[in-house]
Amino acid sequence: ICVPIAKKLGMGSVLGYLIAGILIGPYVLEFVGEEGEDIMHFAEFGVVMMLFLIGLELEPAKLWQMRAMITRVGLSQVLITSGLLFAAMVLLGLDWKVSLAISLSLSLSSTAIVLQSLKEKNLLNSSAGKNSFAVLLMQDIAVIPILAVLPLLAVASPTGGEGGHESFIAQVPGWLQTLLVIGAVGLVVLLGRYAIVPLLRLISRTRLRELFVACALLIVVGIAFLMEAVGLSPALGTFLAGVILANSEFKHELESDLEPFKGLLLGLFFIAVGASINFGLIFDQALLVISITLGIMLVKTLVLFGIGKTNKMGLDQNLIFSISLNQVGEFSFVTYSFASQLQILDQNTTEMMMAVTALSMTLTPLLILAN
């Protein structure tokens, strides 16, 4: 009901899903309550699938061609935004480890919301669309070093990072966790090269469509599971696998088989984001939450606008570019919970940052509409 109405009003499907999530959530109709986080885990598969499909679109050669734009536009955005937010938090008296974990998380934008919104408005091939894609790609790649750095921060942290981290690597020292994270990424690359393609050839000989679909799902779920086991983001592993399989002869089959699952699960992800917004916290500390959210969005908008100006983008394209990317992204939920498990962030800070992230994601489609 919400999505067609939102589309009719020109708001785009993302906002419709978010509103639907808010309505069924624990603060309005209470259809879903405390299990919001469980729904989030399931719904994150939409993002996992989306990144696998983005990876399939990007042949390594194409990535290499885009390297200048990715590093010039994307890397500068991540570094400048993190640097400014880190400095602001340290000046406000926060511990430097907490500040670093939060500022790195806040520098990321929402791949799901931005790509969906730009696609619906046919802006992906515009100057703003191409630059946004380069930034999002760099941010997705940047999650690997961010997640590798967090265990090292936990070692330096006074609490020692003895959190209840679910992954089996939680018991090993920080430096070894970092090595295992890098090793897992290497394993995905090797599997993509030497195991997955022969498996797909074997399956395709049976000429059974449902078997191929099941195999495609197995690849995505299997790699996500491997990444989860070492405390890495599942979406990142599948993105890597997608890039590796981009040159294979099964690229188009994989795309057509996984597209419907991606659409449904991505919708569910946005609904889960809406349902998991902690309105209790937002109402209790309304001024603080709204101030932090608007402050972060303003910093990101100004940084992005400056980068767009440096890259000689026209004013209209630059506004689309800087407004589209000014929210905090879904990967931040992953980095917050990881930092919380490592006891770098306490429960209150984690909840506050999650509320700020969800609120910024909800405001973005409205800002794009206003622009």
Side-chain angles (χ1 to χ4, degrees), residues 1 9 54 56 59 130 139 145 170 211 218 227 237 242-243 256 286 295 299 305 333:
I1 294 168
L9 295 172
I54 289 173
L56 279 178
E59 291 155 29
K130 284 174 183 165
Q139 289 177 352
L211 205 57
L218 174 69
M227 290 287 136
V243 172
S256 64
V299 169
F305 194 81
F333 291 122

Side-chain angles (χ1 to χ4, degrees), residues 5 60 92 101 121 128 154 189 235 238 241 279 303 328 341 371:
I5 293 171
L92 289 168
K121 294 183 170 37
V189 174
T238 49
F279 283 102
V303 169
V328 188
Q341 287 157 4
N371 180 54

Side-chain angles (χ1 to χ4, degrees), residues 248-282:
S248 77
E249 67 263 41
F250 302 107
K251 171 183 167 173
H252 299 298
E253 261 179 289
L254 286 167
E255 278 176 347
S256 64
D257 286 346
L258 291 174
E259 191 67 46
F261 295 101
K262 182 208 82 171
L264 284 170
L265 287 167
L266 209 51
L268 186 63
F269 171 75
F270 294 133
I271 291 172
V273 170
S276 67
I277 296 175
N278 188 341
F279 283 102
L281 181 72
I282 292 171

Side-chain angles (χ1 to χ4, degrees), residues 8-292:
K8 195 87 180 145
L9 295 172
M11 292 194 236
S13 64
V14 175
L15 200 64
Y17 285 124
L18 287 166
I19 292 166
I22 292 167
L23 289 176
I24 65 166
Y27 297 95
V28 186
L29 298 173
E30 297 183 11
F31 292 162
V32 294
E34 296 306 310
E35 72 277 9
E37 278 186 23
D38 299 336
I39 296 169
M40 270 309 258
H41 287 307
F42 178 65
E44 273 169 15
F45 256 97
V47 182
V48 167
M49 296 249 178
M50 182 182 73
L51 274 149
F52 181 68
L53 292 170
I54 289 173
L56 279 178
E57 292 287 326
L58 287 170
E59 291 155 29
K62 196 171 167 189
L63 261 179
W64 187 247
Q65 281 172 354
M66 287 179 69
R67 71 189 185 281
M69 191 189 250
I70 292 170
T71 48
R72 191 179 67 239
V73 181
L75 190 62
S76 52
Q77 183 274 328
V78 173
L79 293 176
I80 296 167
T81 308
S82 308
L84 287 174
L85 293 170
F86 175 72
M89 280 182 262
V90 171
L91 287 172
L92 289 168
L94 276 176
D95 179 66
W96 73 268
K97 290 175 285 292
V98 174
S99 303
L100 188 60
I102 293 175
S103 58
L104 288 170
S105 303
L106 294 177
S107 68
L108 307 171
S109 306
S110 172
T111 308
I113 287 181
V114 178
L115 289 186
Q116 191 80 354
S117 302
L118 292 176
K119 188 175 161 190
E120 280 176 14
K121 294 183 170 37
N122 287 323
L123 289 168
L124 277 179
N125 287 323
S126 65
S127 166
K130 284 174 183 165
N131 279 286
S132 299
F133 188 68
V135 170
L136 291 167
L137 206 54
M138 184 65 229
Q139 289 177 352
D140 294 343
I141 295 164
V143 177
I144 297 175
I146 291 172
L147 289 170
V149 161
L150 288 177
L152 297 177
L153 283 183
V155 175
S157 143
T159 50
E162 293 298 317
H165 186 25
E166 291 107 35
S167 74
F168 77 87
I169 68 162
Q171 283 75 36
V172 303
W175 61 269
L176 191 55
Q177 288 188 28
T178 302
L179 281 179
L180 284 169
V181 163
I182 296 161
V185 172
L187 183 60
V188 169
V189 174
L190 288 172
L191 282 174
R193 265 288 145 80
Y194 303 110
I196 296 174
V197 174
L199 175 69
L200 289 171
R201 283 198 189 113
L202 197 70
I203 299 290
S204 66
R205 285 193 200 116
T206 62
R207 301 196 183 287
L208 292 171
R209 175 81 192 269
E210 66 274 21
L211 205 57
F212 198 89
V213 174
C215 186
L217 288 170
L218 174 69
I219 291 166
V220 175
V221 175
I223 290 169
F225 178 76
L226 170 71
M227 290 287 136
E228 195 81 59
V230 295
L232 252 176
S233 157
L236 253 144
T238 49
F239 170 69
L240 262 176
V243 172
I244 293 153
L245 292 171
N247 285 330
S248 77
E249 67 263 41
F250 302 107
K251 171 183 167 173
H252 299 298
E253 261 179 289
L254 286 167
E255 278 176 347
S256 64
D257 286 346
L258 291 174
E259 191 67 46
F261 295 101
K262 182 208 82 171
L264 284 170
L265 287 167
L266 209 51
L268 186 63
F269 171 75
F270 294 133
I271 291 172
V273 170
S276 67
I277 296 175
N278 188 341
F279 283 102
L281 181 72
I282 292 171
F283 292 140
D284 289 346
Q285 305 180 25
L287 195 65
L288 183 63
V289 174
I290 292 166
S291 308
I292 294 172

